[in-house]
C-alpha cells in the first residue's frame, strides 16, 4: 500500500519527536559533564549538517548582517543546552522535561516583545495554569531545586531562540541556518570554557577519556560515551532536525506543534522505564507535570478555535 505524503510526514515528525525525547535519556547516560557534553554535541551536529550539499551552498544567499544574527542565536542555543543537560545532571530526566514544558509560557510572553504582536488574554490564562504546575512540581523536594532552576532557565532560553528564529529565519535555508547556529555555539563554548575552568582540561573534554571499568576503549576513550555522543549529535540532532523540517512541507503548524508537544511525554515515559524515576518523584510532581503538559496541548486548540471564529 502506497503511503501518501501527509501520512509519511506524520511518521517523520513523530520519529523526530521521539529522537528529541531520546536526547534527555542519552544526556543521563553520557559520562561527560554538561559543558563537555554540549561542546561535543555541537561540533558533531554542525559537521553532520555541513556535509549536506544544500546546507553548504545556501549559506551564500544569507546576508552578512543576518549571519551575525544567527551567530548570536547559536550562542543562546548553546546556553540552552548547557542549562538543559545541567538540569538532568543535577536532578533527573523527568524533572528537566517537566520544566521544559514551561517554554510555551515564555514564548507567549516573549513573542509580543520580539515580533511586536499582541499579547492574547488566553495566553495569560494558560500561563497561570503553567505557574500552578510549576508550584506543584516544586513539591518534589529541595534536593531537586537546582535541577528545576536549570530546567526553567533552559525553557526560557529555548523560548528565546525559537522566537528569534521565527522572526529572522524567513526564506533562508533552514539547514544552513542550523549549521551556522550550531557552529557558532561550538566556537562560543570553545572560547568560554577555558575562561570558566582555568583552561581546557584535555582529559575532561576529549573523546580519549579513559574508562576504568572497561577493557574496550577507543584510543583510550570511554567507548560507550563515544557512541552515545555520535547518537546524540547525528541521530538526535542532525537527522531528527532534517526529518522535522521535511515533515513541515506537508503538515500544518498546528499539527506539527501538537506532535512536538509529545516530546516531554516520550522522554518521561522512557525515563520511568529505563531509570525507574517514578520511585524518586512524588504524586504532586506528576500532577504538576500533567497540568503543564495539558496547558501546552490546550493552548494551540484554543488559538485555532479563535482563528476560526474570526473568519
Amino acid at each position: 500500500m502506497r503511503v501518501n505524503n501527509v501520512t509519511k510526514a506524520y511518521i517523520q515528525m513523530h520519529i523526530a519527536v521521539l529522537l528529541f525525547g531520546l536526547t534527555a535519556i542519552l544526556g543521563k547516560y553520557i559520562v561527560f559533564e554538561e559543558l563537555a557534553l554540549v561542546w561535543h554535541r555541537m561540533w558533531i551536529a554542525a559537521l553532520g549538517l555541513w556535509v549536506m550539499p544544500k546546507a553548504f551552498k545556501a549559506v551564500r544567499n544569507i546576508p552578512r548582517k543576518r549571519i551575525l544574527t544567527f551567530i548570536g542565536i547559536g550562542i543562546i542555543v548553546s546556553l540552552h543546552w548547557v542549562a538543559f543537560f545541567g538540569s538532568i545532571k543535577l536532578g533527573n530526566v523527568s524533572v528537566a522535561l517537566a520544566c521544559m514544558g514551561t517554554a510555551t509560557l515564555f514564548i507567549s510572553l516573549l513573542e509580543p516583545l520580539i515580533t511586536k504582536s499582541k499579547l492574547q488574554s488566553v495566553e495569560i490564562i494558560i500561563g497561570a495554569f503553567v505557574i500552578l504546575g510549576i508550584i506543584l512540581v516544586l513539591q518534589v523536594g529541595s534536593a531537586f531545586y537546582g535541577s528545576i532552576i536549570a530546567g526553567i532557565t533552559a525553557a526560557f532560553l529555548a523560548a528565546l531562540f525559537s522566537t528569534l528564529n521565527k522572526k529572522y529565519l524567513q526564506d533562508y535555508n533552514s539547514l544552513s541556518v542550523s549549521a551556522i547556529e550550531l557552529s557558532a555555539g561550538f566556537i562560543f563554548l570553545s572560547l568560554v570554557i577555558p575562561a570558566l575552568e582555568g583552561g581546557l582540561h584535555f582529559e575532561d573534554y576529549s573523546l580519549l577519556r579513559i574508562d576504568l571499568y572497561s577493557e574496550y576503549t577507543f584510543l583510550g576513550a570511554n567507548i560507550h560515551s563515544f557512541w552515545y555522543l555520535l547518537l546524540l549529535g547525528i541521530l538526535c540532532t542532525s537527522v531528527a532536525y532534517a526529518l522535522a523540517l521535511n515533515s513541515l512541507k506537508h503538515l500544518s503548524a498546528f499539527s506539527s506543534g501538537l506532535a512536538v508537544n509529545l516530546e516531554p511525554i516520550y522522554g518521561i515515559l522512557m525515563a520511568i522505564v529505563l531509570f525507574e524515576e517514578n520511585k524518586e518523584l512524588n504524586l504532586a510532581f506528576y500532577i504538576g507535570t500533567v497540568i503543564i503538559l495539558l496547558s501546552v496541548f490546550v493552548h494551540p486548540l484554543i488559538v485555532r478555535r479563535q482563528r476560526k471564529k474570526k473568519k
Side-chain angles (χ1 to χ4, degrees):
M1 183 176 71
R2 188 174 180 180
V3 179
N4 62 45
N5 287 333
V6 174
T7 302
K8 185 178 179 181
Y10 272 115
I11 294 171
Q12 288 177 334
M13 176 57 79
H14 280 281
I15 291 174
V17 172
L18 185 62
L19 291 174
F20 288 142
L22 185 60
T23 295
I25 303 298
L26 291 174
K28 187 78 171 179
Y29 274 120
I30 296 171
V31 298
F32 292 110
E33 294 300 321
E34 54 270 19
L35 279 171
L37 196 159
V38 176
W39 188 74
H40 281 300
R41 182 186 187 182
M42 298 202 87
W43 76 257
I44 293 171
L47 185 62
L49 288 169
W50 282 122
V51 297
M52 297 182 184
K54 287 184 179 180
F56 191 78
K57 291 179 181 178
V59 171
R60 304 173 199 169
N61 300 323
I62 303 176
R64 184 176 298 178
K65 180 180 179 181
R66 196 57 68 226
I67 288 177
L68 291 175
T69 300
F70 294 135
I71 287 173
I73 295 173
I75 292 173
I76 297 172
V77 172
S78 69
L79 294 174
H80 154 71
W81 279 347
V82 170
F84 177 66
F85 287 115
S87 178
I88 294 171
K89 300 294 185 181
L90 290 169
N92 59 34
V93 172
S94 297
V95 170
L97 289 174
C99 292
M100 281 302 299
T102 64
T104 302
L105 168 62
F106 291 122
I107 288 175
S108 69
L109 297 173
L110 288 170
E111 197 167 15
L113 294 173
I114 293 173
T115 64
K116 306 301 181 183
S117 58
K118 186 179 179 181
L119 179 63
Q120 302 294 323
S121 58
V122 63
E123 293 174 340
I124 297 174
I125 297 171
I126 292 294
F129 277 101
V130 170
I131 292 171
L132 173 61
I134 294 171
I135 291 171
L136 289 170
V137 166
L138 286 170
Q139 305 307 309
V140 75
S142 58
F144 289 94
Y145 283 178
S147 176
I148 292 170
I149 292 170
I152 292 175
T153 301
F156 171 79
L157 292 171
L160 180 58
F161 77 71
S162 296
T163 306
L164 289 171
N165 271 331
K166 181 179 179 180
K167 180 177 180 179
Y168 294 109
L169 186 60
Q170 299 174 4
D171 297 325
Y172 304 122
N173 183 283
S174 298
L175 293 178
S176 299
V177 171
S178 296
I180 292 170
E181 291 180 356
L182 292 172
S183 300
F186 166 70
I187 294 170
F188 170 72
L189 289 180
S190 298
L191 293 174
V192 302
I193 286 172
L196 289 173
E197 302 195 353
L200 185 63
H201 302 292
F202 183 76
E203 67 275 10
D204 291 335
Y205 288 85
S206 172
L207 289 177
L208 310 183
R209 185 169 180 174
I210 296 173
D211 178 12
L212 299 176
Y213 304 100
S214 173
E215 295 179 2
Y216 301 97
T217 55
F218 177 76
L219 299 177
N222 183 327
I223 193 70
H224 301 297
S225 287
F226 174 75
W227 289 112
Y228 287 149
L229 278 169
L230 286 184
L231 283 173
L232 180 64
I234 297 175
L235 192 64
C236 294
T237 308
S238 300
V239 173
Y241 195 80
L243 285 171
L245 285 177
N246 192 61
S247 69
L248 288 175
K249 296 177 182 177
H250 305 287
L251 294 180
S252 66
F254 175 78
S255 297
S256 61
L258 283 180
V260 170
N261 289 338
L262 290 171
E263 179 188 343
I265 296 175
Y266 286 152
I268 290 173
L269 289 176
M270 284 189 281
I272 289 173
V273 173
L274 294 172
F275 307 126
E276 297 184 336
E277 288 189 354
N278 54 302
K279 295 181 180 179
E280 303 175 27
L281 306 167
N282 56 28
L283 181 60
F285 169 83
Y286 286 106
I287 292 174
T289 301
V290 168
I291 290 174
I292 292 171
L293 295 179
L294 279 177
S295 301
V296 169
F297 275 99
V298 168
H299 178 256
L301 291 171
I302 296 174
V303 170
R304 191 186 195 191
R305 180 172 293 183
Q306 286 181 333
R307 286 175 180 171
K308 283 184 176 181
K309 287 181 179 180
K310 290 179 180 179
K311 290 181 179 180

